[in-house]
Amino acid sequence: MRVDALLRSSPVTAPERARQLEAAGFDGTWTGEMNHDPFIPLVRAAEHTERIELGTNIAVAFARSPMNTAHMAWDLQLLSEGRFTLGLGSQIKAHISRRFSMPWSRPAARMEEYISALHAIWDIWESGGRLDFRGDFYQHTYTTPLFCPAPLECARPKVFLAAVGPLMTRVAGRVADGLLCHSFTTADYLRDVTVPALRAGEAAAGRPAGSAEASLGILTVNTQRAEDFEQQAFATRLRIAFYGSTPAYRGVLEHHGWGDAQTELRDLSLQGRWEEMAGVIDDDMLHTIAAVGTPDEIAAIVAARYGDLIDRFTVLSVSGGTPTEPEIDREAEAELLACLRGSFEPSGH
């Protein structure tokens, strides 16, 4: 079992944060595309670390052409000496069409072609030949040696794909090296919807079951420090509510009979009533989506819920802040890492 942590997205703090995570013993660290570019912090992190794996969770695929992304991923793999994973996500239509001013259509089909285009480009960079990728959404048919980087001395970057619904999850099973499961999920949804869809995608592509590694971000509320509990619980409820307001994630709530909560969260978000949204997340929802307890209890909860479903975890210890800029409790993070190691390693997971 591999355990990761968030790097955050600021390129200013990335080197120090990455060094701390590597020294603490985390296996990997991730950036997201929120209020900073997701790649630049990893450039700085790569220069200041030696062992820890680096990845995007996520970079918005449809905001960039496959050629742009291919170059960035190639260079990060070169700079990190083989430690980079390209984690892609589709985002939702409003962001792609209105924020990035890029085309939106058939996101699952587009994403599958996008990843195929990346590999077609990388094939040329590794082995030479003529670039001739012709798809329904992307066409890459021209390059010259001047614009082709030298082959890497390590493997090409792994490509992970973020998915919530079964259609995109099947794409991950068909063409990706890994699945980035959203932290807005539950063990039941993973077992009943996500993992079967992932395995179906692998089978459709003739890949062995387990070909796509599964990674999950775990929201936690640490009860060891009673004075911090309410603040942590509120921050986590707010983060759950922030995700739950997105119609594309409604299926997770409906799977537990909480579909009406999504409607309420959506209405509140449209009115800008963000603080009130946390009140929609009751104790049952909080304890089902997040792992709540002492570090030892959280580790036991994670092992019991997800030990047979997930290959790697990202510890999300939120002590305050906002959904886009959470405050991370580094002490609790390191403590939980130790407990997770103790829960998984003796059992052979």
Side-chain angles (χ1 to χ4, degrees), residues 22 28 44 49 56 64 127-128 169 243 273 279 291 298 317 344:
E22 184 169 74
R44 302 206 67 206
T49 56
T56 54
R64 305 166 174 85
S127 305
T169 303
Y243 293 136
R273 296 160 62 184
I298 289 172
S317 299
F344 282 102

Side-chain angles (χ1 to χ4, degrees), residues 39 64-77 84 86 88 114 117-122 125 140 149 152 157:
F39 295 108
R64 305 166 174 85
S65 82
M67 183 64 76
N68 296 137
T69 303
H71 274 288
M72 182 61 78
W74 197 263
D75 287 347
L76 270 166
Q77 185 75 330
F84 176 66
L86 175 63
L88 297 174
Y114 193 104
L118 285 174
H119 285 292
I121 294 165
W122 290 338
W125 295 353
H140 297 280
L152 294 166

